[in-house]
Amino acid sequence: MSFAFYLISALTVAGALAAVLLKNLVHCALALTIAFAGLALLFLNLDAQFAGFAQILVYIGAVAILVVFAILLTRGSETPKDGEIFSRTWLAGLAVAAAVFAVLGWAVLGTAPMLPHSSPAPHVTVLQIGNALMSRYVLPLEIVAVLLTAALIGAVMVAMHEKEEKQ
Amino acid sequence: MFEWLDQVFVLLKHWLVSFLPATWQPVAGILLCVLTIICLFPALFAICVLLERKGLGRMQNRLGPNRVGPFGIFQPIADGVKSLTKEDLVPLSADALVHFMAPVVLVVVVFMGFAVLPMGRNMVLVDLDAGLLFYFAIGASTELAVFMAGWSSRNKYSLLGAMRAVAQMISYEVPLLLSSVAVVMITGSLSLSKIVEAQNHYTWGLPHWYIFTPWGFAGFLMFAIAATAETNRSPFDLPEGESELVAGYFTEYSGFKFALFFLGEYVGMLSISGLGSTLFLGGWSSPLEALNWVPSWIWFFSKLLLSIAVFIWMRGTLPRLRQDQLMNFAWKFVLPMTLLNLFVAGLWRFLGDGWERWVVCSAILIVAYILMGRVGMYREHFGPRRYRYAE
Amino acid sequence: MTPLAGFLLVAALLFSIGLAGALTRRNAILVLIGIELMLNAANLNLIAFWRYGPHPEALTGMMFAIFSIAVAAAEAAVGLGLVIAVHRHAHTTDIDLMNRMKG
C-alpha cells in the first residue's frame, strides 16, 4: 500500500461523491471526470498502462463530453423548480447502497488474509495486447465492433428529431 | 565532434545530475527535462506569435509590429508585460472555480503531450510503450477545458464558441486518430521513438519518411487538416470567429488567464506539429543522408517551425468555413478517406517490396479522392458560385 | 491489508456510491452517471485481480476491462440519446415525473 495509492483513491472517491451529491449537473459531470481520471491513475498504479490510457481516451475524451452535451441539451444545469434533487424514495436507495457496501466490504475484509500479498509487476507490452486481441480475443473484438456500430446508429436514430406528426 | 554536438543536451543533463546523490538522480533528471520543456516552449510561443504577426502583416500588405525594439522583435515581451499587469476580470455571474480551473487544465494538459515526443536522438522525456495512445488520451482532455471555459463564463458567445469548439474537436479527433493508426500499422509500434527509428533509414541518400509513400502522403494531408481543426486554426477557427463570437470560448477572460489560453493554443499547435513531424516527417532524422552530421534536435525544431510557418500561411490565405461545411467535410470526406487509407496501408504492408505496390496504392487513393470529391460536389451543389445581382 | 484488498475496497466504495447515486437522484442523466461509476468500479476489480492474480501474462482481466470500456462507451451513447429523446417528448428528465407508459 503506497502513498500514491491512498492519494489517488481519496481523489477518486471524492470525485465520485461529488458527482452524485452536487446540485448543478454540470458540476456533477466535471466531478465525474475527476473520478474517471483517478481511476485511470489507479489503473496505471496497477501496471495496466494500456487500460489506463484507454480509460482516459474513452471516458474523459468521449463519455464526459457526451454527458455534458446531454445535460446542456436537456437544460439539466438548471435546478428543478422545487429545488429538490433527490428522489422521494431516497432513503430506501441509500439503504440498499449501504447494504451493498457492507456486504462487499465484509466479503473483501473476510477473505483479505487469503488474498495474494504481492506479485512481481507483469511486464505487458502493447504488442502482446495487440496479438492477444487479434488471436485469442478476435471474436469478442468483432462482436464489440458490431455492437459499437449498432450503438452508433441506434444513438443517432433515438436522438434525432422525430418527424413532425400531422396535427 | 558532431556526435558530441548531437547529444549535447543529454550529456549536459547527465553532467548536472551527477552532482547529486545516486538515489536522487532519476527524479532530478526528470525534473530537469520538465523544467526545460516548460521554459523552452513558451519561448518558442513568443517567437511564433511574433512570426505570425509579422508574416500576416506582410501577407496583408502591412508592416506588422515594428515599434518595440529593432523590427519589433521585443513585441512579445511587451505583450507579456501588458497581459500580466492587466486587471483580471471575472464576470459576476461566472462559476468562479470552474472559470479559474479552465485555463489551468488547458495549459497543463497541453504541456503533458510533450512528455512522449522525441525531440532528438535519445531526447525523449518518457519513452512510453503506448506513447501515441498517451498523446491522444491527453489531447482528448483539452475539449473538457474548452467546455469548462465556455460554460463557466455564463455568456452566450462563450457557450456558443465552446459548443462549436467541442463539436469540431470531437469530429476531427476521429480522422486524426485514424490517419495516425496507418503509421502504427506499418511500424508495428505505438512508441514514438520506435516510429522515428523506423523512418531513419536511407536509400540512395534519401530518407524513408512515411510522407514519401502513397498512404503516408494521403495520411499526412489528412493529419494536417485534422490537426488544423483540432487546434482551432484558420480556416477552421469558427469557435473563435472574431466577426461572430467576439473571441469564442475565452471571451470573458482577461489578463493573465487570457494569456494562458493564448499560450495553450500556440503550444498545442507546436505539440501537434511535433507529433505530425514525428509520425510522417521522420521526427529528428535528417532529410538527406549527407546531412546526418547536423544535430538531430536541429532537424526536429526546424520541422516544427516550418509547420508553424505553414499554419500562418494558411491563416493568411484561406477564408473561414461555415459550421455545416466544417462538419460535412469531417464526416463525409476526411473520415472515409482515412478509413480507405488504413486499407491502403494494409495493402502496402502485404504487397511486398516491388513497384506494384506503388502503382496499386496510389491508384486506389487517387481514384477514391477524385470520385469522392466529384460525388460530394454533386451532392452538396458545390462548384463555381453563381452570382445573383440586384437588378 | 494487502494491496489487492485495498483496491477491492476502493472498488466496492465506488460501486456503492454509484448505486446510491443511481437510486436516489431524480435526474435521468445522474442515474446514467451512477451507472458509469458502477461499471468503472467493476473495471477496477477486473484490473486489480489481473494484476495480483496467478497468471497476469494471460491478460484475461485486462482484456475484460478493455472490452468493458468499449461496451460502456456504447451504453453511454445510447443511454444519453434516450434521455434526450425522452426530454424532447415529455419536456422533463425527472424520473419521478416519468410515470406514464403512454405518451
Side-chain angles (χ1 to χ4, degrees):
Chain A
M1 306 308 284
S2 59
F3 174 67
F5 168 75
Y6 288 113
L7 196 70
I8 301 168
S9 307
L11 179 82
T12 313
V13 171
L17 273 176
V20 297
L21 288 178
L22 286 177
K23 206 160 201 168
N24 191 326
L25 275 189
V26 176
H27 288 163
C28 292
L30 294 177
L32 183 71
T33 55
I34 295 178
F36 285 157
L39 272 158
L41 289 176
L42 281 178
F43 288 179
L44 295 182
N45 201 7
L46 283 166
D47 302 305
Q49 211 180 64
F50 191 84
F53 294 153
Q55 165 92 4
I56 298 179
L57 187 65
V58 173
Y59 276 103
I60 299 182
V63 172
I65 297 286
L66 256 177
V67 169
V68 153
F69 261 86
I71 290 169
L72 291 190
L73 285 175
T74 58
R75 301 182 170 275
S77 60
E78 298 161 13
T79 40
K81 287 180 195 75
D82 48 357
E84 190 49 61
I85 53 168
F86 290 108
S87 163
R88 281 192 294 273
T89 54
W90 65 273
L91 204 61
L94 198 64
V96 169
V100 167
F101 180 65
V103 170
L104 285 176
W106 171 73
V108 171
L109 289 179
T111 50
M114 282 178 275
L115 295 175
H117 260 277
S118 61
S119 52
H123 186 70
V124 178
T125 60
V126 182
L127 195 67
Q128 279 172 305
I129 295 173
N131 280 335
L133 272 178
M134 282 297 146
S135 54
R136 192 165 158 213
Y137 298 96
V138 71
L139 191 64
L141 184 74
E142 296 295 322
I143 293 172
V144 162
V146 173
L147 176 82
L148 283 177
T149 316
L152 181 70
I153 297 169
V156 170
M157 288 300 289
V158 166
M160 214 161 50
H161 277 289
E162 291 170 41
K163 288 235 170 64
E164 287 296 320
E165 283 169 30
K166 287 182 297 243
Q167 298 294 326
Chain B
M1 164 66 200
F2 289 115
E3 285 81 22
W4 173 81
L5 205 58
D6 185 28
Q7 295 298 307
V8 61
F9 295 114
V10 182
L11 295 173
L12 193 67
K13 186 189 104 181
H14 284 305
W15 182 69
L16 280 176
V17 165
S18 65
F19 288 108
L20 289 165
T23 45
W24 289 70
Q25 282 188 4
V27 180
I30 288 177
L31 278 181
L32 207 61
C33 296
V34 170
L35 209 66
T36 316
I37 287 177
I38 289 178
C39 297
L40 174 68
F41 283 92
L44 266 178
F45 153 69
I47 295 173
C48 289
V49 172
L50 185 69
L51 204 69
E52 169 141 28
R53 292 182 65 176
K54 291 293 262 187
L56 272 185
R58 286 294 166 183
M59 281 178 209
Q60 295 162 352
N61 267 339
R62 303 183 276 119
L63 284 174
N66 62 352
R67 294 287 125 177
V68 194
F71 304 104
I73 53 170
F74 295 130
Q75 186 67 38
I77 299 170
D79 286 348
V81 170
K82 186 185 100 180
S83 71
L84 275 172
T85 51
K86 257 184 162 178
E87 187 187 355
D88 180 22
L89 283 174
V90 179
L92 198 62
S93 58
D95 201 309
L97 181 66
V98 182
H99 192 263
F100 171 75
M101 284 306 288
V104 179
V105 172
L106 183 78
V107 169
V108 168
V109 158
V110 160
F111 270 103
M112 274 169 86
F114 288 110
V116 289
L117 282 185
M119 300 177 197
R121 199 176 276 117
N122 305 327
M123 280 166 66
V124 54
L125 184 51
V126 268
D127 189 8
L128 281 181
D129 191 34
L132 194 61
L133 190 66
F134 171 84
Y135 188 93
F136 282 123
I138 292 303
S141 320
T142 53
E143 289 152 21
L144 214 66
V146 166
F147 169 79
M148 280 161 72
W151 178 78
S152 65
S153 298
R154 298 278 196 282
N155 174 327
K156 60 187 172 214
Y157 297 123
S158 298
L159 191 60
L160 275 174
M163 286 332 238
R164 279 187 182 187
V166 172
Q168 168 179 335
M169 283 158 100
I170 287 201
S171 307
Y172 279 92
E173 184 126 338
V174 182
L176 192 75
L177 261 164
L178 285 176
S179 55
S180 321
V181 167
V183 173
V184 176
M185 276 167 63
I186 297 291
T187 317
S189 173
L190 278 166
S191 154
L192 287 173
S193 44
K194 283 206 184 103
I195 289 174
V196 176
E197 286 292 344
Q199 297 177 70
N200 193 17
H201 302 292
Y202 297 89
T203 319
W204 305 324
L206 292 172
H208 282 209
W209 294 356
Y210 289 139
I211 193 176
F212 298 130
T213 55
W215 62 269
F217 185 69
F220 179 70
L221 286 185
M222 250 98 67
F223 184 92
I225 291 169
T228 318
E230 276 290 299
T231 48
N232 298 333
R233 288 285 299 185
S234 179
F236 304 107
D237 61 346
L238 288 125
E240 47 203 79
E242 295 90 344
S243 48
E244 306 151 27
L245 293 175
V246 192
Y249 51 87
F250 52 88
T251 303
E252 292 292 357
Y253 282 89
S254 58
F256 192 58
K257 289 185 200 152
F258 179 84
L260 279 185
F261 271 107
F262 208 49
L263 174 79
E265 187 185 337
Y266 274 82
V267 173
M269 211 159 87
L270 284 165
S271 132
I272 208 143
S273 308
L275 185 71
S277 43
T278 303
L279 290 180
F280 295 100
L281 301 177
W284 44 258
S285 65
S286 66
L288 289 171
E289 195 171 15
L291 291 176
N292 262 344
W293 53 271
V294 180
S296 52
W297 40 272
I298 289 192
W299 290 121
F300 180 79
F301 285 100
S302 356
K303 283 167 194 172
L304 214 60
L305 285 178
L306 203 68
S307 13
I308 296 296
V310 173
F311 271 123
I312 295 169
W313 185 15
M314 280 202 291
R315 176 164 175 198
T317 312
L318 296 170
R320 185 179 298 147
L321 265 72
R322 221 169 50 210
Q323 185 73 24
D324 60 322
Q325 292 171 337
L326 181 95
M327 287 295 164
N328 279 341
F329 187 58
W331 292 105
K332 294 185 184 164
F333 183 78
V334 186
L335 181 62
M337 278 303 280
T338 45
L339 285 174
L340 187 79
N341 199 33
L342 277 189
F343 171 71
V344 171
L347 266 186
W348 177 267
R349 174 85 172 70
F350 288 108
L351 273 183
D353 267 335
W355 55 272
E356 296 95 338
R357 65 178 187 176
W358 285 86
V359 178
V360 174
C361 292
S362 317
I364 293 176
L365 282 171
I366 292 171
V367 167
Y369 174 76
I370 292 174
L371 272 180
M372 281 185 37
R374 288 284 143 189
V375 171
M377 246 193 216
Y378 176 72
R379 288 275 307 278
E380 301 294 328
H381 309 288
F382 281 158
R385 179 181 282 178
R386 275 168 298 166
Y387 290 96
R388 285 189 301 178
Y389 299 101
E391 294 183 12
Chain C
M1 197 160 57
T2 56
L4 179 55
F7 280 104
L8 293 184
L9 273 183
V10 171
L13 193 54
L14 281 178
F15 187 88
S16 312
I17 293 171
L19 187 65
L23 288 179
T24 57
R25 289 294 292 250
R26 276 170 62 173
N27 196 301
I29 294 172
L30 229 300
V31 175
L32 275 171
I33 287 181
I35 293 172
E36 289 296 333
L37 275 176
M38 284 150 76
L39 274 168
N40 268 294
N43 280 353
L44 184 57
N45 257 2
L46 292 171
I47 300 245
F49 275 121
W50 163 76
R51 169 67 176 76
Y52 293 105
H55 296 292
E57 68 282 353
L59 290 175
T60 318
M62 174 106 115
M63 283 299 159
F64 208 135
I66 290 171
F67 284 123
S68 145
I69 289 174
V71 173
E75 175 260 326
V78 175
L80 292 168
L82 276 173
V83 171
I84 291 172
V86 168
H87 178 264
R88 188 175 294 127
H89 196 76
H91 301 290
T92 180
T93 49
D94 190 337
I95 310 187
D96 281 9
L97 300 178
M98 287 183 212
N99 49 9
R100 286 192 308 165
M101 298 284 276
K102 218 168 156 190

